[in-house]
Amino acid sequence: MERIQHRKLTKKKIIQRFFLITIGASLMGVGLEIFLVPNNVIDGGITGISIMLSYVTSWKLGLFLFLLNIPFFFLGYKQIGKTFAISTLYGIIVLSIATTVLHPVPAFTQDILLASVFGGIILGIGVGMVIRYGGSLDGTEILAILFNNKLPFSVGEIIMFFNLFILGSAGFVFSWDRAMYSLIAYFVAYKTIDITITGLDESKSVWIISDKAMEIGDAIMNRLGRGVTFLNGEGAYSGDQKKVIFCVINRLEEAKLKDIVTDNDENAFLAVADIAEVRGGRFKKKEIH
């Protein structure tokens, strides 16, 4: 069979991708050198190992970030692809340069709690931007994907084990209170990464099964301004033919949608789930008059 060729990115997309990866990697550098590192607070993964090695050897942090992540560039190339590997390598280079340039800059705050929280936020935004635009700044996830094929654990469980070991090591290198602050910074960064990748506009997918599907669909379109899709369904037990409504809403519209469904059919089946991203189609909200 003829091999399927992937579409090449347009010049505009390439420029956008590398510009945003530059911003993301630079923000991570700010989070590290202006907040976390001067206060002996670390992040998880390869970054955390690099911070501890830099502290012990007095070598530049950027050097360790580059050298320790290079093997994962090759792993990423094999496991995920060329575009991901190039984006990752570029992000690591920018991060290494950013930490080196920012190293002489004094810490923004000497309050360790503030440094942990705000350092985690800035670092999380930076990492999230790089991941969102096709790269990575830490090889731990790539390593976890590799081990996942050989161990009876999920990728998330493997990453959690790595990071607990790394963050726990901060207690021996720095002090145990710094290890606990590092856990705070890691948790804040982790949650910020999620928000950055998925966005603040939390969309929800809605599935409705009802004998009054047409009425409910019309009400959703007229009262919410949302487009709906009708699907044909069949009950596995009863064999009855049913109309299934699918639509996408935001979190502020959930209560009103439930009222619409209840007003038309109190016995309707309703399932609501969080979704990370919506693109294309006719899911854009229309004006309600």
Side-chain angles (χ1 to χ4, degrees), residues 61-98:
L61 173 61
L63 178 65
F64 287 109
L65 287 170
F66 181 76
L67 292 177
L68 294 183
N69 275 301
I70 282 299
F72 300 105
F73 161 75
F74 296 103
L75 285 175
Y77 184 88
K78 289 183 177 180
Q79 294 290 321
I80 304 174
K82 180 180 177 182
T83 304
F84 172 81
I86 293 172
S87 300
T88 296
L89 179 62
Y90 176 74
I92 291 167
I93 291 171
V94 173
L95 173 62
S96 301
I97 293 171

Side-chain angles (χ1 to χ4, degrees), residues 1-275:
M1 294 179 67
E2 187 180 346
R3 188 176 178 182
I4 298 172
Q5 297 293 325
H6 292 288
R7 287 184 180 178
K8 290 185 177 181
L9 292 172
T10 63
K11 187 178 288 187
K12 182 181 177 181
K13 288 279 188 183
I14 292 171
I15 292 171
Q16 180 193 44
R17 171 175 291 207
F18 282 95
F19 173 73
L20 291 167
I21 288 175
T22 302
I23 298 297
S26 300
L27 282 173
M28 183 175 178
V30 171
L32 289 173
E33 288 291 358
I34 307 299
F35 289 91
L36 300 185
V37 174
N39 290 288
N40 293 333
V41 177
I42 72 168
D43 185 33
I46 302 301
T47 305
I49 296 173
S50 299
I51 293 171
M52 288 187 285
L53 287 174
S54 175
Y55 177 79
V56 171
T57 63
S58 298
W59 291 5
K60 297 289 186 182
L61 173 61
L63 178 65
F64 287 109
L65 287 170
F66 181 76
L67 292 177
L68 294 183
N69 275 301
I70 282 299
F72 300 105
F73 161 75
F74 296 103
L75 285 175
Y77 184 88
K78 289 183 177 180
Q79 294 290 321
I80 304 174
K82 180 180 177 182
T83 304
F84 172 81
I86 293 172
S87 300
T88 296
L89 179 62
Y90 176 74
I92 291 167
I93 291 171
V94 173
L95 173 62
S96 301
I97 293 171
T99 54
T100 303
V101 170
L102 291 168
H103 184 69
V105 179
F108 194 79
T109 177
Q110 301 296 327
D111 187 303
I112 304 173
L113 182 58
L114 286 176
S116 301
V117 172
F118 284 92
I121 291 171
I122 295 170
L123 186 146
I125 293 171
V127 173
M129 285 180 67
V130 174
I131 293 174
R132 183 164 185 165
Y133 290 96
S136 176
L137 293 176
D138 194 289
T140 310
E141 290 189 11
I142 302 170
L143 190 64
I145 291 169
L146 190 65
F147 277 121
N148 178 243
N149 298 324
K150 300 176 181 179
L151 296 174
F153 301 106
S154 69
V155 172
E157 288 170 338
I158 296 169
I159 291 172
M160 182 180 69
F161 174 78
F162 282 152
N163 284 327
L164 286 176
F165 176 77
I166 292 163
L167 292 167
S169 300
F172 296 99
V173 176
F174 301 116
S175 61
W176 290 108
D177 67 328
R178 291 303 192 272
M180 289 185 279
Y181 280 117
S182 297
L183 280 169
I184 293 172
Y186 173 74
F187 178 76
V188 171
Y190 178 82
K191 298 305 292 183
T192 308
I193 289 169
D194 278 351
I195 293 170
T196 305
I197 294 171
T198 60
L200 291 169
D201 184 15
E202 294 180 11
S203 297
K204 294 178 180 287
S205 61
V206 180
W207 298 85
I208 306 163
I209 304 174
S210 170
D211 292 327
K212 298 181 178 179
M214 299 303 294
E215 291 91 331
I216 294 173
D218 287 341
I220 292 171
M221 287 188 288
N222 293 323
R223 292 175 59 188
L224 275 186
R226 291 289 181 182
V228 301
T229 299
F230 291 113
L231 306 171
N232 292 319
E234 180 180 344
Y237 179 76
S238 65
D240 293 342
Q241 298 294 318
K242 296 277 189 180
K243 283 283 187 187
V244 181
I245 302 171
F246 174 76
C247 69
V248 174
I249 60 173
N250 63 42
R251 58 183 174 179
L252 299 178
E253 295 167 332
E254 185 177 352
K256 188 171 181 179
L257 179 130
K258 289 177 179 177
D259 289 339
I260 289 170
V261 174
T262 304
D263 289 345
N264 285 275
D265 184 0
E266 291 184 353
N267 298 315
F269 172 84
L270 172 66
V272 181
D274 294 329
I275 52 178

